[in-house]
Amino acid sequence: MIIAFLIAIIGIIPIVLAISVLKIYKGSELAFALFLYMLSISFWQLDIAVLYLKGVLSEELITWLFRFFRIGPTFMIPLVFYLAYVLINKHTTNIKNQAFYKFQFSMFNPKVLFYLVVWSFIVYLINMTRFGIIGVKEVKIVNSDLYFYFPEYGPLQFLYLFHTSSFFILIIFTFIISRQIHNLYLKNFLGTFSYCSLLLFIFGLLNFIPGTGALFSSLGTIIFSVIIVFSFVKLNTILTVNYNRLMERQKKLDNAGSLTASLVHEVKNTLQIINGYSKLLGESQLPSEGKRMNVMIQTTANQMEDLINNYTKLLKYKSIDFKMVDLNEIIEQSIEISAEFFLRNDVEVVFGKKYSTLKTYANQAYLKQVFVNLIKNSSEAFPKESSIRNITISTDIQVDRIIINIIDTGKGIPADHWNSIFDPFTTSKNEGLGLGLPFVKNIILEHRGDINVVDSSSKGTHIRIILPQYYFSNL
């Protein structure tokens, strides 16, 4: 009776952790997946606890409770699959290996998850009959005077063994996928989670051996819970510190935002003067090089005017206008506008246009400025002694997503800065404000897309943008 109580208490630990995860990541699908997973571990512990209720409950009731609480270990498999599915769809949109990227999306999808849930339900129903579990029998634990009930398995028990063995494969997949998450803190937490789950699985296997006692999985649960608690506290502390930093940055942005309306007004006045004199110059007799320069001035001024008009609407109506545009034209025009930046730094920009037209639902002015910012940043990231100075832009379509890869051969970005470069006021330039890449990130998010650093080293940086191709595309 005491052992059963202790095992049940141990089973509460994962539930407490799960509730903490939900509070920290309120509204997160990943937090919900972790909650269900830890809940299944708690049911698993209750499943073991009932085996130590000899003399308290009848064998028939213990058998029924053991069958019932097996819902925990049975549905751990689809829950690990669901966890991997959430990781792929919400946190790993930027994967360097395209073949592996496509394989993941073909393997981890709602249809396969549905079939796995149905299969788990079938295994669970078999488990509730004599084909899965006939009953329980009294067994003595080796080198002790303790007795407990051990289940007598039916002829279809091999289905349950086959089902639970897939847990090992799925947790390995989850670990591999977690390595591709760009959030370093979440990556470390999920890596620890995968290791501990694997350890939990190994301890759980010992429960199938009569005479060893059913306490091994409880020992695994204690180890799992203690390590995860420390890992989670570390994650929570880092998140709190980062949140406080972001709040300080937000105060700076709020103060700067109060000046935006007046600045926009002044810039518009200045642009009118630039446009006026630019038109007058176009009507005068200029040499061919002068005409080319004047066209660049007009093109850049028009882009600035479109950007300001869109930003004025955003300030007034809190929304961005979208329409179907040709992404190829936007990239080409962005390269043209950015020519001064990469020519000044002796950099070559190559756009590998894979499709004759590439339609997407976007705001042309904002998206154009995104590429201008990225090309400018990349062109300034080359060491003076570098002999290979290239920026390559390529596009691809995967289902209803547009993948845009921007790869340069510059000096690279340190791994621990891959996420922070998109935070406001974070810059390595003495004269920079650190607002360019945050602007880029915000605009891409407004387009229901995402942007991340895929890879970066001393040989260059690979940035990937994902955009929905259509209005109702599911990102």
Side-chain angles (χ1 to χ4, degrees):
M1 176 66 180
I2 295 175
I3 294 176
F5 178 74
L6 289 174
I7 295 174
I9 291 296
I10 291 170
I12 295 174
I13 298 174
I15 294 180
V16 173
L17 279 172
I19 293 171
S20 300
V21 169
L22 280 178
K23 285 183 177 179
I24 296 295
Y25 290 101
K26 190 176 181 180
S28 167
E29 195 173 352
L30 178 59
F32 182 66
L34 287 171
F35 169 76
L36 292 177
Y37 178 76
M38 292 183 180
L39 191 62
S40 69
I41 293 175
S42 297
F43 272 98
W44 182 12
Q45 291 308 295
L46 291 174
D47 192 41
I48 295 167
V50 298
L51 296 176
Y52 285 85
L53 292 176
K54 180 180 178 294
V56 179
L57 301 176
S58 65
E59 285 190 14
E60 290 76 14
L61 183 56
I62 289 173
T63 300
W64 186 88
L65 287 173
F66 181 76
R67 289 169 174 171
F68 174 77
F69 284 122
R70 256 202 169 183
I71 191 172
T74 303
F75 281 90
M76 280 177 72
I77 284 74
L79 286 175
V80 172
F81 184 93
Y82 176 54
L83 186 68
Y85 168 76
V86 173
L87 283 171
I88 291 171
N89 284 269
K90 303 294 182 181
H91 297 277
T92 59
T93 52
N94 297 277
I95 299 170
K96 188 176 180 182
N97 189 316
Q98 287 291 312
F100 187 55
Y101 178 82
K102 292 177 180 178
F103 166 75
Q104 285 185 140
F105 273 95
S106 64
M107 180 69 182
F108 292 89
N109 58 68
K111 184 180 289 186
V112 176
L113 177 60
F114 172 77
Y115 289 138
L116 191 56
V117 170
V118 171
W119 165 250
S120 301
F121 189 69
I122 292 171
V123 171
Y124 181 67
L125 288 180
I126 293 173
N127 173 82
M128 292 294 290
T129 68
R130 293 181 62 83
F131 291 101
I133 298 172
I134 297 172
V136 291
K137 61 181 179 181
E138 195 174 325
V139 174
K140 182 182 179 183
I141 299 175
V142 177
N143 299 324
S144 75
D145 296 326
L146 293 174
Y147 287 84
F148 76 108
Y149 282 122
F150 189 84
E152 290 185 273
Y153 298 113
L156 296 182
Q157 168 64 6
F158 71 92
L159 291 176
Y160 180 80
L161 293 174
F162 171 77
H163 178 69
T164 52
S165 64
S166 61
F167 177 87
F168 176 78
I169 299 171
L170 287 173
I171 208 68
I172 293 295
F173 261 107
T174 303
F175 174 77
I176 293 171
I177 294 164
S178 72
R179 295 300 87 192
Q180 300 171 66
I181 295 177
H182 293 284
N183 186 316
L184 185 63
Y185 314 120
L186 185 59
K187 177 194 289 187
N188 291 338
F189 175 72
L190 288 171
T192 304
F193 175 82
S194 300
Y195 282 129
C196 293
S197 295
L198 192 58
L199 183 67
L200 193 66
F201 174 75
I202 293 171
F203 275 102
L205 287 178
L206 297 175
N207 287 337
F208 289 99
I209 305 174
T212 59
L215 293 172
F216 279 102
S217 65
S218 297
L219 177 62
T221 300
I222 294 172
I223 296 172
F224 171 86
S225 300
V226 169
I227 295 175
I228 290 297
V229 163
F230 280 109
S231 181
F232 188 79
V233 168
K234 181 180 177 181
L235 175 66
N236 186 25
T237 303
I238 292 170
L239 286 174
T240 302
V241 171
N242 287 343
Y243 174 76
N244 291 333
R245 288 175 180 171
L246 285 173
M247 288 301 292
E248 288 298 318
R249 289 172 181 161
Q250 188 60 46
K251 288 179 182 177
K252 292 181 182 179
L253 285 175
D254 290 341
N255 292 332
S258 62
L259 299 173
T260 301
S262 58
L263 283 174
V264 166
H265 180 265
E266 295 306 318
V267 171
K268 286 182 76 173
N269 289 339
T270 306
L271 268 177
Q272 287 180 358
I273 297 172
I274 293 172
N275 281 326
Y277 278 102
S278 179
K279 288 178 181 177
L280 289 174
L281 279 172
E283 295 170 1
S284 62
Q285 296 296 322
L286 290 173
S288 58
E289 184 64 16
K291 288 181 178 179
R292 187 191 68 81
M293 291 180 178
N294 189 53
V295 169
M296 282 300 300
I297 292 171
Q298 289 179 345
T299 302
T300 307
N302 289 337
Q303 162 62 11
M304 182 62 69
E305 188 173 15
D306 287 343
L307 192 62
I308 287 173
N309 288 336
N310 276 278
Y311 193 65
T312 303
K313 288 181 181 178
L314 178 61
L315 288 173
K316 188 174 181 180
Y317 302 109
K318 305 298 182 183
S319 63
I320 296 177
D321 293 330
F322 295 93
K323 63 180 181 180
M324 292 303 295
V325 293
D326 188 351
L327 187 60
N328 287 341
E329 290 182 4
I330 290 175
I331 295 174
E332 288 171 342
Q333 290 170 12
S334 301
I335 294 172
E336 186 180 349
I337 293 171
S338 310
E340 176 62 24
F341 300 126
F342 59 78
L343 291 175
R344 183 196 309 161
N345 293 285
D346 193 26
V347 174
E348 181 183 6
V349 178
V350 177
F351 174 36
K353 189 161 65 173
K354 187 175 181 180
Y355 308 94
S356 56
T357 58
L358 186 55
K359 295 293 184 179
T360 184
Y361 194 73
N363 180 287
Q364 184 166 327
Y366 276 126
L367 209 53
K368 199 181 296 182
Q369 197 63 31
V370 163
F371 290 110
V372 169
N373 270 295
L374 291 174
I375 292 170
K376 177 181 181 294
N377 275 17
S378 291
S379 65
E380 294 172 348
F382 290 85
K384 291 182 179 179
E385 65 276 8
S386 177
S387 57
I388 303 174
R389 309 173 72 86
N390 300 323
I391 300 173
T392 304
I393 303 174
S394 62
T395 57
D396 197 9
I397 299 175
Q398 293 180 3
V399 192
D400 57 354
R401 303 178 180 197
I402 296 177
I403 314 296
I404 306 153
N405 294 300
I406 302 171
I407 304 173
D408 66 49
T409 55
K411 60 185 178 184
I413 303 167
D416 55 345
H417 292 172
W418 287 11
N419 293 312
S420 62
I421 59 170
F422 295 105
D423 293 337
F425 305 106
T426 301
T427 180
S428 59
K429 304 171 188 175
N430 294 329
E431 70 282 1
L433 290 174
L435 294 175
L437 287 178
F439 167 83
V440 167
K441 183 80 171 182
N442 287 337
I443 294 304
I444 295 299
L445 291 176
E446 287 285 348
H447 282 72
R448 297 181 303 112
D450 199 10
I451 177 171
N452 279 296
V453 178
V454 175
D455 190 28
S456 191
S457 66
S458 58
K459 295 181 180 179
T461 299
H462 179 184
I463 290 178
R464 179 174 295 153
I465 299 173
I466 295 184
L467 292 172
Q469 189 172 15
Y470 306 108
Y471 176 71
F472 292 107
S473 295
N474 181 23
L475 272 174

